[in-house]
Amino acid sequence: MEYVVVKWLHILSSTFLFGTGIGSAFYMLLTSLSRDVRATAVVVRHVVLADWLFTTPTIIIQPLTGFYLIHLAGYPLTSRWIMWTIALYLLAGACWLPVVWLQIRMRGFAQDAVKAGTELPPIYWRYLRYWVLLGILAFLALVVVFYLMVAKPA
């Protein structure tokens, strides 16, 4: 029973992590590309909030439940699929940290543009490009992690 509960928590938190990430990326990118400064300011503010409410807790829950599942199932940490999972999860996290910083800065740029009644500044668009590239890399890493978790190849 313990294994099932921990596995359920692991799967549920991975769903929140992946769902929040892809949903936030979708809305933030499309709203930014609309060039509607007011809408962008609201959406970026909500994306930053979603990261704190959903992504941050799941980033903590994932390794805790994952390592506990490894322990309960008796898999050796030296299994290739586990080592690759850990490496790719760390890569996704290494992408996420600058993404959060970029989002916070972009939120400020958008809020400033609304107050000034101007368009989004060029730095917003530069940061958006970095944000998209890092997001794609993190997304691909997590897709492979999902595969490894399901297939558990030798």
Side-chain angles (χ1 to χ4, degrees):
M1 182 66 170
E2 181 179 13
Y3 182 84
V4 171
V5 171
V6 176
K7 186 174 183 178
W8 177 79
L9 288 172
H10 191 70
I11 292 169
L12 184 63
S13 69
S14 72
T15 303
F16 272 91
L17 174 64
F18 198 79
T20 300
I22 201 159
S24 293
F26 177 80
Y27 288 110
M28 187 165 148
L29 179 61
L30 290 184
T31 305
S32 294
L33 294 177
S34 77
R35 297 190 177 268
D36 182 331
V37 178
R38 288 186 166 292
T40 300
V42 170
V43 170
V44 176
R45 186 177 75 239
H46 289 151
V47 166
V48 170
L49 179 62
D51 262 349
W52 293 118
L53 293 176
F54 302 110
T55 308
T56 301
T58 61
I59 284 176
I60 296 165
I61 292 168
Q62 280 293 284
L64 294 176
T65 56
F67 281 116
Y68 195 48
L69 286 169
I70 290 167
H71 166 73
L72 290 174
Y75 292 117
L77 281 174
T78 55
S79 299
R80 282 186 41 194
W81 69 272
I82 292 174
M83 291 173 33
W84 272 107
T85 298
I86 293 167
L88 290 167
Y89 188 78
L90 291 172
L91 173 63
C95 292
W96 180 73
L97 289 172
V99 159
V100 171
W101 182 83
L102 289 166
Q103 287 172 179
I104 291 169
R105 300 284 300 172
M106 292 164 73
R107 177 186 63 189
F109 298 144
Q111 289 171 343
D112 291 346
V114 167
K115 288 177 190 169
T118 62
E119 294 180 355
L120 294 166
I123 194 168
Y124 181 92
W125 301 106
R126 187 171 348 122
Y127 280 17
L128 184 66
R129 283 191 297 277
Y130 297 141
W131 180 84
V132 167
L133 290 173
L134 289 166
I136 289 170
L137 187 56
F139 171 80
L140 293 174
L142 290 178
V143 167
V144 175
V145 167
F146 269 93
Y147 168 77
L148 292 169
M149 298 273 83
V150 172
K152 297 175 181 53

